[in-house]
């Protein structure tokens, strides 16, 4: 069936009008809600690393194409540009639906009400309309014009589609590499990464998480240091226990319980003393007294524990390894692990963990974007970086000579708050907002960044929402369960995303 020139003219006008309407509406919608559009692009698994450029480029290109479609002299070029752009959009959605680990939010306006499948069909329809317009205009070209030849036209369509799809593919590959290996402070938030949330209210806010193992959570109590309360991961209270501790005339100031079944540690770095016992009898015996003061202790097993202390020679923070036997206690310090940038105390402050699944000690600096992965003998180490850009601790120290002490001259810039580790992952409660993130979320939740320790890469981020306006005080990870303590509230929620692989011991 052949169309008359009049029908062809009407069709071209209709396609141009619909395309102008689409591009102008889409561009204006993006610009009117630009911050939200940029945030959504920033969370895209395909183009998140280039959100800054793309968020401006897309609406500008859409308006430019709409302008070119207004004039008959530029309409042929504009339809090619429209076809190419719709091919890019269609390829983007195809990759999102088939190759992305998660599906991000849509792109705003009326189109946001569409599902991704409907959006794909919608884009495909406009691709076909633009292609039909190109074919009609090409058929109206003089026979001497190269584009009027079928072979040339077919080649032009093929090249345009390949280039458009190639652009999206290259952006996807480059963005993935940047996000995971050379992150420029763009977080990735998978859609609904946590589920099955349950919260209970404890009698008071003096509890802390002392340990966990095989579906059990052990809580210590600051007001009752020898008390242990055990919950399962469904937050059903299992039992309450009182530790049997030998009586010594110690002036405890910061007693701390650390449970690592089948044993536990009870210690106070200011006495200093360390008791070790088993979780069957809950009886402990003194293993160390007055050998070394320490600020943090993490058990490795019932014979070894890693500590953070102050080196008596350098007066800097250092890591040490206690080794206990039936007859003696040995302490090995390694002053080369924590790297001084300013004063050696405040600038090297951080959190200390031991991950038994990978048999590694992990130290995460509080005021710089770095964590250390150390073997359990305090020998070799590798370092990794959190995704923010603070590589040097912004710490200012003042000396009070009358008291012979050093103190912070002003509050330093906190980078990493709390940490946890399980399996191949490090979980960091971040203190700094990243690019393309809604500020309102920082008032509603704590942000957890997840790093793959084996690959030394950033994996993804997720939210732990505040309770009664208060952020969490501490958290631990029990394989695919996030256990957090927020004042009097104990919460367990399941981590469920393709970015995270739960730990299964090798058999």
């Amino acid at each position: 069936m052949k169309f008359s020139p009049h029908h062809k003219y009407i069709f071209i006008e209709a396609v141009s009008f619909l395309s102008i309407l689409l591009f102008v509406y889409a561009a204006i919608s993006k610009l009117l809600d630009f911050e939200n559009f940029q945030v959504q692009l920033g969370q895209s698994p395909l183009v998140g690393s280039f959100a800054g450029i793309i968020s401006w480029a897309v609406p500008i290109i859409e308006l430019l194409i709409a302008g070119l479609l207004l004039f008959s002299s530029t309409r042929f070029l504009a339809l090619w540009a429209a076809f190419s752009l719709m091919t890019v959009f269609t390829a983007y959605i195809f990759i999102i639906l088939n190759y992305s680990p998660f599906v991000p939010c849509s792109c705003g306006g009326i189109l946001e009400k569409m599902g991704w499948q409907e959006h794909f069909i919608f884009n495909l329809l406009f691709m076909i309309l633009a292609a039909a317009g190109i074919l009609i205009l090409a058929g109206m070209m003089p026979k001497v014009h190269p584009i009027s030849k079928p072979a040339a036209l077919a080649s032009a369509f093929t090249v345009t589609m390949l280039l458009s799809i190639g652009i999206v593919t290259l952006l996807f590959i480059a963005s993935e590499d940047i996000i995971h290996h050379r992150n420029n402070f763009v977080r990735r938030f998978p859609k609904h990464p946590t589920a099955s949330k349950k919260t209970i209210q404890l009698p008071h806010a003096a509890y802390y998480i002392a340990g966990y193992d095989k579906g059990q959570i052990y809580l210590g109590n600051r007001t009752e240091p020898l008390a242990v309360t055990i919950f399962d991961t469904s937050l059903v209270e299992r039992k309450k226990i009182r530790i049997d501790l030998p009586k010594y005339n110690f002036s405890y100031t910061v007693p701390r319980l650390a449970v690592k079944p089948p044993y536990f540690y009870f210690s106070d770095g200011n006495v200093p003393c360390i008791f070790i016992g088993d979780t069957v009898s809950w009886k402990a015996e003194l293993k160390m007294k007055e050998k070394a003061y320490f600020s943090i202790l993490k058990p490795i097993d019932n014979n070894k524990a890693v500590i953070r202390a102050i080196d008596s020679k350098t007066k800097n923070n250092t890591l040490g390894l206690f080794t206990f036997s039936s007859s003696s206690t040995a302490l090995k310090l390694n002053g080369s692990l924590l790297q001084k940038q300013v004063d050696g105390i405040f600038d090297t402050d951080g959190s200390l963990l031991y991950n038994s699944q990978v048999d590694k000690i992990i130290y995460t600096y509080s005021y710089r974007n770095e964590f250390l992965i150390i073997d359990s003998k305090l020998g070799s180490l590798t370092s990794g970086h959190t995704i923010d850009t603070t590589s040097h601790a912004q710490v200012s120290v003042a000396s009070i000579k009358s008291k012979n002490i050093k103190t912070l001259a002003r509050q330093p810039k906190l980078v990493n708050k709390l940490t946890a580790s399980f399996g191949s992952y490090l979980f960091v409660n971040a203190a700094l907002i990243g690019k393309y993130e809604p500020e309102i979320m920082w008032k509603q939740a704590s942000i957890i960044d997840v790093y793959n320790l084996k690959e030394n890469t950033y994996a993804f981020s997720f939210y732990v929402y505040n309770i009664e306006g208060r952020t969490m005080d501490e958290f631990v990870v029990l394989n695919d369960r996030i256990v957090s303590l927020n004042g009097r509230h104990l919460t367990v929620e399941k981590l469920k995303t393709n970015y995270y692989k739960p730990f299964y011991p090798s058999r």
Side-chain angles (χ1 to χ4, degrees):
M1 179 180 178
K2 290 186 177 181
F3 291 97
S4 67
H6 178 68
H7 287 133
K8 292 178 180 179
Y9 172 79
I10 292 175
F11 182 82
I12 294 296
E13 289 292 320
V15 169
S16 299
F17 174 77
L18 289 173
S19 298
I20 290 169
L21 190 64
L22 171 66
F23 289 135
V24 170
Y25 171 77
I28 296 299
S29 296
K30 294 178 179 73
L31 293 174
L32 288 177
D33 196 13
F34 184 75
E35 183 180 0
N36 183 47
F37 172 58
Q38 197 171 61
V39 166
Q40 289 177 345
L41 278 181
Q43 301 310 317
S44 169
L46 267 68
V47 297
S49 299
F50 308 103
I53 298 173
I54 293 175
S55 61
W56 284 106
V58 169
I60 290 172
I61 291 172
E62 287 174 333
L63 290 174
L64 182 61
I65 292 173
L68 292 173
L69 284 168
L70 288 171
F71 306 102
S72 56
S73 59
T74 55
R75 193 162 288 161
F76 187 63
L77 174 64
L79 283 174
W80 274 110
F83 175 78
S84 179
L85 187 61
M86 295 311 296
T87 303
V88 167
F89 291 162
T90 305
Y92 173 83
I93 295 176
F94 181 82
I95 295 175
I96 284 284
L97 291 173
N98 293 278
Y99 300 101
S100 172
F102 71 96
V103 178
C105 296
S106 192
C107 60
I110 293 173
L111 302 182
E112 191 170 4
K113 307 301 180 184
M114 293 184 185
W116 284 91
Q117 296 283 358
E118 292 84 359
H119 207 154
F120 178 80
I121 295 170
F122 181 86
N123 286 355
L124 198 61
L125 175 62
F126 270 84
M127 270 184 65
I128 293 170
L129 287 175
I134 290 169
L135 289 172
I136 290 174
L137 285 178
M140 298 169 65
M141 293 280 185
K143 296 298 182 182
V144 295
H145 199 289
I147 202 67
S148 65
K149 295 179 174 57
L153 198 57
S155 298
F157 272 117
T158 302
V159 170
T160 301
M161 290 184 68
L162 288 176
L163 283 175
S164 300
I165 295 170
I167 288 170
V168 179
T169 304
L170 287 174
L171 284 174
F172 175 45
I173 294 171
S175 184
E176 283 292 286
D177 178 64
I178 291 171
I179 285 288
H180 293 298
H181 299 93
R182 296 176 285 111
N183 195 290
N184 53 359
F185 211 2
V186 176
R187 287 191 172 92
R188 170 167 293 174
F189 292 92
K191 197 172 183 180
H192 308 306
T194 57
S196 306
K197 181 177 179 178
K198 185 175 182 180
T199 300
I200 62 168
Q201 192 168 3
L202 301 169
H204 48 74
Y207 291 93
Y208 62 90
I209 301 172
Y212 54 88
D213 179 66
K214 296 179 181 178
Q216 296 198 122
I217 305 161
Y218 298 83
L219 298 185
N221 191 326
R222 294 181 187 87
T223 58
E224 197 176 351
L226 298 180
V228 187
T229 306
I230 305 174
F231 288 89
D232 61 22
T233 52
S234 62
L235 295 185
V236 174
E237 186 176 306
R238 301 290 297 274
K239 62 177 75 172
K240 291 183 178 179
I241 293 166
R242 188 170 182 83
I243 295 171
D244 185 355
L245 202 69
K247 292 183 179 179
Y248 287 89
N249 191 26
F250 293 150
S251 298
Y252 298 109
T253 57
V254 284
R256 184 81 180 184
L257 172 68
V259 182
K260 192 173 180 61
Y263 50 86
F264 69 91
Y265 279 62
F266 184 87
S267 64
D268 189 328
N270 287 350
V271 171
C273 64
I274 298 174
F275 296 85
I276 303 177
D278 64 77
T279 55
V280 177
S281 67
W282 289 96
K283 291 183 179 181
E285 60 178 302
L286 185 64
K287 289 290 187 178
M288 189 281 291
K289 182 180 77 168
E290 299 178 349
K291 189 173 184 69
Y293 292 89
F294 55 89
S295 52
I296 308 176
L297 178 144
K298 294 294 178 181
I300 293 177
D301 55 36
N302 63 333
N303 295 315
K304 285 189 297 183
V306 59
I307 63 167
R308 188 187 70 187
I310 295 179
D311 191 297
S312 59
K313 296 179 180 179
T314 64
K315 305 301 180 183
N316 295 335
N317 275 329
T318 186
L319 297 183
L321 190 67
F322 269 121
T323 303
F324 308 100
S325 67
S326 57
S327 58
S328 64
T329 298
L331 175 61
K332 169 191 173 185
L333 296 177
N334 189 336
S336 65
L337 297 173
L338 303 184
Q339 294 299 308
K340 174 181 175 180
Q341 289 185 332
V342 181
D343 67 309
I345 296 291
F346 297 109
D347 66 329
T348 57
D349 193 12
S351 60
L352 177 64
L353 301 170
Y354 171 69
N355 182 320
S356 58
Q357 292 81 48
V358 295
D359 190 28
K360 296 292 183 182
I361 295 163
I362 303 167
Y363 192 85
T364 306
Y365 290 108
S366 295
Y367 303 117
R368 66 180 97 159
N369 62 348
E370 186 177 8
F371 57 87
L372 308 176
I373 307 169
I374 310 162
D375 71 72
S376 58
K377 295 180 181 179
L378 282 192
S380 62
L381 69 82
T382 57
S383 64
H385 291 88
T386 53
I387 59 174
D388 62 276
T389 56
T390 308
S391 59
H392 195 277
Q394 296 181 23
V395 171
S396 179
V397 179
S399 298
I400 303 177
K401 294 182 179 180
S402 60
K403 297 182 179 180
N404 193 29
I405 62 171
K406 291 184 178 181
T407 185
L408 288 170
R410 59 178 179 270
Q411 189 63 33
K413 180 181 178 181
L414 183 61
V415 175
N416 302 310
K417 295 181 185 176
L418 309 168
T419 60
S421 185
F422 197 95
S424 302
Y425 298 91
L426 171 65
F427 299 77
V428 179
N429 175 203
L432 300 176
I433 189 169
K435 293 181 181 177
Y436 321 123
E437 292 177 25
E439 290 187 22
I440 190 171
M441 287 307 302
W442 285 80
K443 300 176 182 178
Q444 299 177 357
S446 297
I447 280 69
I448 309 296
D449 296 330
V450 185
Y451 300 89
N452 188 313
L453 295 174
K454 288 188 176 179
E455 299 176 5
N456 205 351
T457 57
Y458 166 71
F460 66 100
S461 301
F462 64 94
Y463 297 112
V464 174
Y465 287 88
N466 301 344
I467 300 177
E468 297 179 354
R470 176 172 172 168
T471 58
M472 66 179 183
D473 300 304
E474 59 179 318
F475 78 106
V476 296
V477 178
L478 182 51
N479 210 0
D480 61 349
R481 297 291 195 279
I482 310 298
V483 182
S484 59
L485 194 56
N486 183 313
R488 297 174 60 188
H489 297 89
L490 181 64
T491 300
V492 175
E493 49 192 320
K494 187 173 184 179
L495 189 58
K496 190 177 181 181
T497 169
N498 292 337
Y499 279 113
Y500 180 76
K501 294 179 174 58
F503 176 79
Y504 298 105
S506 56
R507 297 177 181 176

